[in-house]
């Protein structure tokens, strides 16, 4: 798994390992607080590592039909769950560029024809740690 390091602004947290809200690139993200948000004041700037955890429930057809608009972004589903929309940039392992972050190993293929395809991957959770 590869973390994406981003500049973030702390907004609020429910506590360590609970839901927190940070802002990254103008987008508010609900994440698991693994960065000690309880020790931060609202508005604190920090470097965060975003760790997407792909759900294992997505099926092949769902993944490849979930992004007809060919977008690269995160859509919040509920809590810290997201639909990560992005482009497959490599296979074996699969890496998807979803704008704010890269999602790797969301599904398995060695088929190079998948490179350049736009997909939608359900993230079971998005973690944030101090970079």
């Amino acid at each position: 798994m590869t973390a994406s390091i981003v500049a973030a602004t702390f907004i609020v947290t429910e506590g360590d390992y609970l839901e927190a809200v940070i802002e990254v690139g103008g987008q508010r993200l609900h994440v698991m607080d693994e960065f000690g948000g309880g020790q931060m004041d609202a508005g604190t700037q920090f470097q965060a590592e975003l760790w997407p955890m792909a759900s294992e429930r997505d099926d092949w057809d769902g993944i490849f039909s979930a992004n007809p608009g060919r977008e690269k972004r995160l859509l919040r589903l509920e809590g810290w769950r997201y639909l990560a929309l992005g482009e497959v940039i490599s296979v074996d392992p699969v890496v998807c560029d979803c704008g704010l972050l890269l999602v790797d190993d969301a599904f398995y293929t060695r088929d190079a024809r998948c490179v350049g395809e736009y997909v939608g991957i359900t993230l079971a959770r998005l973690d944030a740690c101090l970079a």
Side-chain angles (χ1 to χ4, degrees), residues 60 63-64 91-94 104-111 114:
W60 187 266
I63 290 169
F64 282 88
V91 295
D92 198 19
V94 172
D104 56 347
D105 290 327
F107 61 94
Y108 176 79
T109 187
R110 291 184 176 175
D111 189 343
C114 291

Side-chain angles (χ1 to χ4, degrees), residues 47-122:
Q47 290 293 109
E49 289 183 1
L50 298 179
W51 291 91
M53 302 187 80
S55 169
E56 295 180 10
R57 294 184 173 181
D58 291 340
D59 65 35
W60 187 266
D61 290 336
I63 290 169
F64 282 88
S65 65
N67 192 358
R70 301 170 63 89
E71 300 177 77
K72 292 182 181 180
R73 66 186 186 121
L74 298 177
L75 297 174
R76 184 170 173 236
L77 300 174
E78 64 180 327
W80 50 40
R81 290 184 61 240
Y82 288 87
L83 179 61
L85 300 174
E87 178 183 9
V88 178
I89 58 173
S90 71
V91 295
D92 198 19
V94 172
V95 178
C96 300
D97 176 359
C98 297
L100 289 178
L101 51 83
L102 298 176
V103 177
D104 56 347
D105 290 327
F107 61 94
Y108 176 79
T109 187
R110 291 184 176 175
D111 189 343
R113 294 176 295 177
C114 291
V115 173
E117 292 295 318
Y118 283 79
V119 296
I121 301 155
T122 303

